[in-house]
Amino acid sequence: MAVSRRQVIVGASALAGAKACAPESGDSAAPEAVARIDHVVFVMMENRSFDHFLGAMKLLEARQFEGLTADMGNPDADGNAVLVYRNDTDCQDPDPHHGWSSAHDQFNEGANDGFVLDYGGPGVMQYMTRDDLPITWALADSFAVCDQYFCSVMGPTWPNRFYGHCGTSLGMRSNDFPKGGAYEIPHVWAKLAEAGVSHQYYFSDLPFAVLMEGALDPENLRYFEDFVRDAELDRLPAVSWVDPGFAFNDDHPPHHVAMGQEFLAAVYKALANSPAWKRCLLVITYDEHGGFYDHVPPPTTDDDYVADGFDQLGFRVPTLAIGPWVKQGAVSTVFDHSSWLKYVCDTHGIEPWTKRIAAANSIAEVIDTARMARNEPIEPPAMPAFDYDDQSVPDACYGQGVFGPPPPEDGGATDTATPARPQPRHTSPVGVTEPWHEVFAAVYRDENRVQEWSRLRAWIADYVRNRPVDPFRRR
């Protein structure tokens, strides 16, 4: 599945704004005499394994990191080998199994040979290529590829996302709604507030933080468009988390990966255009493997819930560290989602509040201290243009993702900013439960905002296509 048809972004013209924002000699924003990192930005996408997204860079392009070889495979029910093969579908449907039991069956005590058997077919052995993921692979060309970054839990989305925010899931193994409205769980947002560290939680259609008691401080909760504005106006806080659109561009099957590429291109463009580029560290990762094959058996670590099996890390997930001071190429330090929390703790003098965070290797291992000592930052490279017709995305490529909004009530809203352009379709996500409808409506506060996810799709499409956008559209 190559993303082809219509040019949407980000060649040299997309960085014209970055050059326009570049400081002049004598400007107060001119390069610092001493290199430093003032802003860390963390993005967590959904449900892809390292080998599925990045492994073929070794197989096809001889990249020097722990990736795929042509003889890798898994047995099917008849004992026949199913080898890794080139992706041949726009959307992975049905979604591969990735719950606690399925993931452990796929692991099979370290053999990593249960993926095909668990899925009941070969689809989990597919790998993506540069044609499928032009932005991700281009970023991997220029920045750090973390080829030993494992998800925190050998299980599904919510426990892994809790580890990303909290360094623990309190023993939670599945995606269970809290009975009291939100989980009382220690999280980084409270720790940052206590320490007086500036921070923002940016979201696209619905913030995962709604599941954590005390994490939705209105002063620190903003829309994705605000992230773009804050980056381009040099107003980023010390710590930022950016959620994708869980209804459409988070890369959770069956979502079309071109929409995920569009989102990541927008995140990168905002930082590349920012006067703060030389003081930024961006980490892009995925919550868990999504049931897709990975050949590296994950290790164990310390945890407050070792007795319940939480010493076992999950499978590798595609992870890139991006910025002016990162190492280029493979970084093979063992990381998990608590590694960015360890970085935050070390940077801001916060005591690690769980055994997992204390045991983690800090994501600071991606930083090229020699480059910093030389004060020779990596300039933001232009991303390749890619073609993708958002009106040709099959209906099957929309789905629930980690949440999914309620179905449209009025047949689809209209984006008044660009009325002459065909608008995205409003396909009802599958499997959405009534309690989440209520949460979604509460977050957006009025009935018109239940359509916000599709309006945001149009906004991101405009932004990465270098069409005029209103950064205050949702205010």
Side-chain angles (χ1 to χ4, degrees):
M1 175 226 60
V3 282
S4 60
R5 296 182 186 98
R6 185 176 68 195
Q7 184 180 41
V8 300
I9 156 173
V10 165
S13 63
L15 287 180
K19 294 178 180 177
C21 293
E24 301 293 336
S25 176
D27 191 316
S28 61
E32 301 293 332
V34 178
R36 69 181 197 266
I37 296 173
D38 293 340
H39 313 285
V40 60
V41 179
F42 198 77
V43 177
M44 184 178 284
M45 303 289 280
E46 283 279 315
N47 287 53
R48 305 286 177 164
S49 74
F50 184 94
D51 277 343
H52 176 54
F53 259 29
L54 291 173
M57 293 192 82
K58 176 180 180 180
L59 174 65
L60 302 179
E61 300 183 1
R63 287 292 299 274
Q64 296 303 304
F65 52 70
E66 189 64 45
L68 291 171
T69 58
D71 60 348
M72 289 179 177
N74 260 203
D76 64 14
D78 297 322
N80 300 314
V82 178
L83 300 180
V84 294
Y85 67 99
R86 168 77 165 82
N87 171 59
D88 63 4
T89 180
D90 285 341
C91 332
Q92 189 80 17
D93 192 22
D95 181 16
H97 311 143
H98 47 275
W100 179 280
S101 296
S102 286
H104 283 75
D105 288 344
Q106 294 156 11
F107 176 57
N108 192 20
E109 299 184 353
N112 284 27
D113 63 359
F115 291 89
V116 173
L117 289 171
D118 180 73
Y119 188 57
V124 292
M125 303 303 292
Q126 298 180 76
Y127 57 78
M128 298 285 182
T129 71
R130 190 175 292 274
D131 287 341
D132 303 311
L133 306 173
I135 301 302
T136 295
W137 281 40
L139 292 170
D141 290 339
S142 296
F143 300 107
V145 177
C146 302
D147 68 352
Q148 296 295 311
Y149 189 117
F150 299 85
C151 62
S152 293
V153 178
M154 192 172 283
T157 288
W158 288 18
N160 276 289
R161 286 189 171 269
F162 280 125
Y163 268 86
H165 292 283
C166 310
T168 182
S169 68
L170 298 182
M172 182 194 306
R173 295 183 175 186
S174 56
N175 300 345
D176 297 324
F177 279 103
K179 295 180 180 179
Y183 286 103
E184 294 184 4
I185 185 170
H187 49 74
V188 67
W189 310 112
K191 302 296 183 182
L192 290 169
E194 291 169 6
V197 178
S198 62
H199 57 281
Q200 291 291 345
Y201 193 111
Y202 300 96
F203 71 102
S204 296
D205 54 3
L206 191 60
F208 184 83
V210 73
L211 296 172
M212 298 175 288
E213 185 69 37
L216 285 180
D217 182 345
E219 293 298 316
N220 302 110
L221 181 68
R222 296 183 181 178
Y223 294 115
F224 178 73
E225 300 95 312
D226 295 317
F227 168 74
V228 172
R229 178 200 62 182
D230 289 347
E232 294 190 351
L233 295 180
D234 199 5
R235 294 178 181 174
L236 286 175
V239 179
S240 300
W241 180 290
V242 184
D243 274 341
F246 294 121
F248 60 101
N249 66 11
D250 61 356
D251 278 339
H252 191 303
H255 297 164
H256 199 300
V257 295
M259 291 187 284
Q261 292 296 280
E262 206 169 55
F263 173 74
L264 295 180
V267 172
Y268 173 74
K269 179 184 173 183
L271 294 178
N273 281 2
S274 176
W277 167 258
K278 290 184 173 65
R279 294 174 280 117
C280 286
L281 172 63
L282 167 65
V283 179
I284 297 172
T285 191
Y286 285 69
D287 63 339
E288 38 99 350
H289 75 301
F292 292 100
Y293 172 71
D294 193 83
H295 77 277
V296 177
T300 57
T301 187
D302 197 12
D303 195 90
D304 295 291
Y305 290 82
V306 167
D308 298 317
F310 285 85
D311 56 334
Q312 178 63 66
L313 296 179
F315 297 102
R316 291 189 307 165
V317 288
T319 303
L320 304 175
I322 297 158
W325 308 116
V326 301
K327 298 171 183 176
Q328 293 176 296
V331 175
S332 297
T333 304
V334 173
F335 297 125
D336 81 308
H337 297 327
S338 61
S339 292
W340 96 281
L341 297 175
K342 184 66 168 292
Y343 174 85
V344 169
C345 288
D346 290 348
T347 302
H348 298 291
I350 298 171
E351 186 70 22
W353 60 93
T354 70
K355 289 183 178 179
R356 176 67 72 89
I357 300 172
N361 294 314
S362 170
I363 203 72
E365 293 293 324
V366 304
I367 297 170
D368 188 339
T369 55
R371 179 181 289 278
M372 295 187 78
R374 298 192 307 269
N375 200 17
E376 296 177 359
I378 301 169
E379 295 298 329
M383 292 292 99
F386 71 97
D387 292 342
Y388 150 56
D389 183 356
D390 58 3
Q391 297 302 310
S392 73
V393 175
D395 287 346
C397 293
Y398 293 85
Q400 179 182 359
V402 67
F403 307 122
E409 297 177 0
D410 60 358
T414 299
D415 183 349
T416 58
T418 52
R421 179 167 49 84
Q423 299 306 305
R425 291 184 304 273
H426 301 272
T427 306
S428 299
V430 296
V432 181
T433 56
E434 182 60 31
W436 202 254
H437 290 198
E438 297 172 3
V439 173
F440 192 91
V443 167
Y444 283 118
R445 294 181 297 278
D446 70 73
E447 62 185 14
N448 292 327
R449 293 195 185 276
V450 298
Q451 299 299 334
E452 200 62 45
W453 69 282
S454 56
R455 291 197 287 268
L456 178 60
R457 276 196 62 213
W459 191 94
I460 292 174
D462 284 342
Y463 177 64
V464 299
R465 290 165 170 84
N466 302 309
R467 294 195 288 250
V469 294
D470 175 9
F472 302 96
R473 180 177 54 81
R474 287 200 281 180
R475 284 298 186 191

